[in-house]
Amino acid sequence: VVQTTDDLATLEALGFDAEHFNARWVRGAVLCELDRFGDARPDLEWVLVRDPGKVEVRRLYVTCLFELGEHQRCAEQAISLLKSSPREGAVQRTMARALARVARERPSDRARAFVLGALKQGAIDPAAVVPVVAAELRKLGDLERARVVEGK
């Protein structure tokens, strides 16, 4: 597995082909491993345009969007992925973290409606996600929205 900057340089020195599906997928994955999410994003998007059902790439793309601070898009992509692959626990946690951050941008009295509406779009059980969103809000220091999201 390629996991270092030297390994990435080696991969590119071997004749990286920008039009080769697996080369773009591997480079995107390596760049994510190196926390170079901005550099990884174009490769992941290129792969997803050509194979939107590739779960491994979709999972990594959700993480990439979260790390880039694109929380609304991250939540949307996570919900879309969870519709077809509901057992993606890591994606569900990332989605909850992203939803908490987007909920912070909403008026506090509408935070619960926002979260429940987003989950409903993906036919996702709120009982499994709302407590995680509330816990993330608490971690972010937003106790008021955490209570609202929980319905208290």
Side-chain angles (χ1 to χ4, degrees):
V1 175
V2 181
Q3 295 183 340
T4 69
T5 303
D6 289 340
D7 292 338
L8 182 60
T10 301
L11 177 69
E12 291 178 346
L14 291 174
F16 174 78
D17 179 359
E19 296 303 313
H20 190 274
F21 183 88
N22 286 334
R24 294 291 287 262
W25 160 218
V26 168
R27 185 172 71 173
V30 169
L31 289 166
C32 284
E33 285 291 323
L34 296 171
D35 294 335
R36 291 176 49 192
F37 298 102
D39 294 330
R41 183 180 183 167
D43 286 330
L44 299 176
E45 289 174 342
W46 187 93
V47 170
L48 288 172
V49 164
R50 285 147 185 84
D51 186 359
K54 192 152 182 74
V55 173
E56 299 89 354
V57 179
R58 292 177 73 195
R59 184 184 313 121
L60 201 51
Y61 186 56
V62 165
T63 300
C64 181
L65 291 171
F66 183 85
E67 294 298 332
L68 290 172
E70 295 188 31
H71 301 122
Q72 178 75 40
R73 182 103 172 103
C74 172
E76 291 165 358
Q77 290 296 310
I79 288 167
S80 173
L81 174 55
L82 290 168
K83 282 182 185 178
S84 59
S85 300
R87 298 185 192 273
E88 291 287 332
V91 171
Q92 192 170 22
R93 285 187 296 280
T94 301
M95 176 197 61
R97 293 175 64 210
L99 285 173
R101 282 158 177 79
V102 177
R104 292 185 78 203
E105 299 168 6
R106 304 288 192 272
S108 62
D109 63 334
R110 295 193 181 133
R112 181 173 173 80
F114 163 73
V115 171
L116 294 177
L119 297 175
K120 185 177 181 181
Q121 281 184 314
I124 297 168
D125 179 15
V129 178
V130 167
V132 181
V133 173
E136 187 67 18
L137 285 165
R138 278 190 202 86
K139 194 161 96 177
L140 295 169
D142 199 335
L143 303 180
E144 178 186 352
R145 278 189 185 76
R147 285 191 297 274
V148 169
V149 165
E150 290 176 313
K152 295 180 179 176

